[in-house]
Amino acid sequence: MSTNTMEHLDFRESVRLAGVFFFYLALLMLFLLYFGGRIQKILESLMPWFTSETQEKKKLPDSVLAEQRTIARKKLQEDHESKAEGYKERVLLPREEAKKADLEKEFYRFAGPAWKGRGERTRSDDDSDSGTLGEGPQSRPALRRRDLEGTSRDAAIARRLPEAATNPPRPLPPHRPEPKQAKRVIELPEEPEHGSPECITVIMRGVTGQRKTRRFLYTHKVQVLFDWMMKWGYHEKLYTLVTVYPRRDLSQHAWQKTLQEVGIDGDAAIAVEEIDRDVDS
């Protein structure tokens, strides 16, 4: 046979062997699929030690499993605590000690004497003869004996007293407290009889929508309406009165004009409004 024929036969033989191998492998898988459970039961009955560790754990009661979990958690917690303690001793404590040392060093740095320079000799017996004080190029001329040992009069002349000591301020006049203003008592006039010629009916509407009705004389001052508002509980420093139509603020004519002069000479309606602080300021 030629070489090409031999190579062709070897390839065909390899393909045939591969086909046979896969055929038997498929038969084995089918056999295990259908009879694997039975075979496992037979092996377990014949060899009790054949069961795996996982199957043994499944057969343990719940109390034993819970105890094992508790022991495992405790061990894990102890490991974490030991690691945290080691980190504290190795890192945290040295860091705190270093911070304390730096703070202490900074404290003693500023708590010491403010001046730590080089001392300078002021005067000595030898300097009295030479007529200079101290040493170095910036030495000052020595003081004369008369200047050093002057009289008390010379010291008084040289001393400069503050102006407040030489010219004491005049005493302030006695404080006279200002007389307190008497608190004004709000008293509304009596309501005129209905049908009198100068009688008018005024309806006041509050902030919450409530209404009150009262009779006045149109010769009364506008302040009487503000007194009525104060009686109702609205302070005139926080609230004001306006006419409904046309809208007009009555606080400008409280004491100067009467109701008739501001246009309220018949039955009218007024409203209580809160004073706008932004506008006032």
Side-chain angles (χ1 to χ4, degrees):
M1 295 184 179
S2 61
T3 307
N4 294 333
T5 306
M6 292 295 295
E7 292 179 355
H8 184 66
L9 290 175
D10 292 340
F11 177 74
R12 291 178 61 185
E13 187 67 19
S14 300
V15 172
R16 186 179 67 80
L17 292 175
V20 172
F21 174 74
F22 284 112
F23 175 73
Y24 284 111
L25 181 62
L27 289 178
L28 179 62
M29 292 178 65
L30 289 174
F31 179 78
L32 293 176
L33 180 64
Y34 286 102
F35 300 102
R38 297 180 182 178
I39 294 172
Q40 183 178 2
K41 291 181 180 179
I42 294 171
L43 291 175
E44 288 178 357
S45 61
L46 295 177
M47 295 178 290
W49 51 269
F50 182 75
T51 56
S52 61
E53 185 178 358
T54 305
Q55 292 176 347
E56 290 180 358
K57 288 184 178 180
K58 290 182 180 179
K59 293 180 181 180
L60 294 176
D62 295 338
S63 59
V64 178
L65 292 175
E67 185 177 358
Q68 291 180 357
R69 294 193 195 98
T70 305
I71 294 172
R73 291 194 189 101
K74 288 182 178 179
K75 184 178 180 181
L76 185 62
Q77 184 67 25
E78 290 176 358
D79 293 340
H80 284 304
E81 290 179 356
S82 62
K83 290 180 181 179
E85 190 68 24
Y87 179 77
K88 181 179 180 182
E89 294 179 357
R90 288 182 290 101
V91 179
L92 296 182
L93 291 179
R95 188 180 299 173
E96 292 179 359
E97 293 294 335
K99 287 183 179 179
K100 289 181 181 179
D102 293 340
L103 292 175
E104 187 177 359
K105 183 178 179 181
E106 195 73 13
F107 171 77
Y108 284 115
R109 177 185 175 187
F110 289 99
W115 180 77
K116 297 181 180 179
R118 183 180 178 183
E120 181 180 354
R121 192 175 64 174
T122 56
R123 187 176 184 276
S124 64
D125 296 338
D126 299 336
D127 297 334
S128 60
D129 299 335
S130 60
T132 57
L133 287 176
E135 297 178 356
Q138 297 180 355
S139 59
R140 294 175 298 171
L143 296 176
R144 294 177 297 175
R145 184 176 182 83
R146 182 178 179 182
D147 295 334
L148 296 174
E149 298 179 0
T151 61
S152 59
R153 183 178 179 182
D154 297 335
I157 293 173
R159 184 170 63 248
R160 293 182 180 180
L161 297 178
E163 186 178 356
T166 56
N167 299 322
R170 296 180 181 179
L172 296 175
H175 178 68
R176 296 179 181 178
E178 297 181 359
K180 295 183 180 180
Q181 296 181 357
K183 187 177 181 181
R184 188 171 68 89
V185 180
I186 299 175
E187 293 183 0
L188 296 177
E190 295 182 0
E191 293 190 57
E193 295 181 0
H194 187 72
S196 57
E198 298 180 353
C199 178
I200 60 173
T201 302
V202 180
I203 301 174
M204 182 185 293
R205 185 183 64 194
V207 177
T208 58
Q210 299 178 353
R211 299 174 183 269
K212 281 196 174 185
T213 306
R214 200 181 191 280
R215 294 189 302 274
F216 296 96
L217 296 176
Y218 59 72
T219 57
H220 288 151
K221 296 289 185 181
V222 180
Q223 182 62 32
V224 74
L225 298 179
F226 284 91
D227 294 343
W228 184 28
M229 180 185 70
M230 293 272 288
K231 283 283 189 181
W232 196 6
Y234 296 100
H235 201 279
E236 60 184 355
K237 291 184 178 180
L238 303 176
Y239 299 91
T240 185
L241 291 174
V242 295
T243 56
V244 177
Y245 183 81
R247 189 182 183 280
R248 185 168 56 244
D249 192 355
L250 300 177
S251 60
Q252 302 176 0
H253 316 287
W255 294 97
Q256 294 82 6
K257 297 183 179 181
T258 61
L259 297 177
Q260 185 180 12
E261 291 175 351
V262 297
I264 305 177
D265 53 358
D267 296 344
I270 58 177
V272 180
E273 288 187 359
E274 188 174 359
I275 297 175
D276 191 356
R277 296 293 177 182
D278 298 336
V279 175
D280 294 344
S281 59

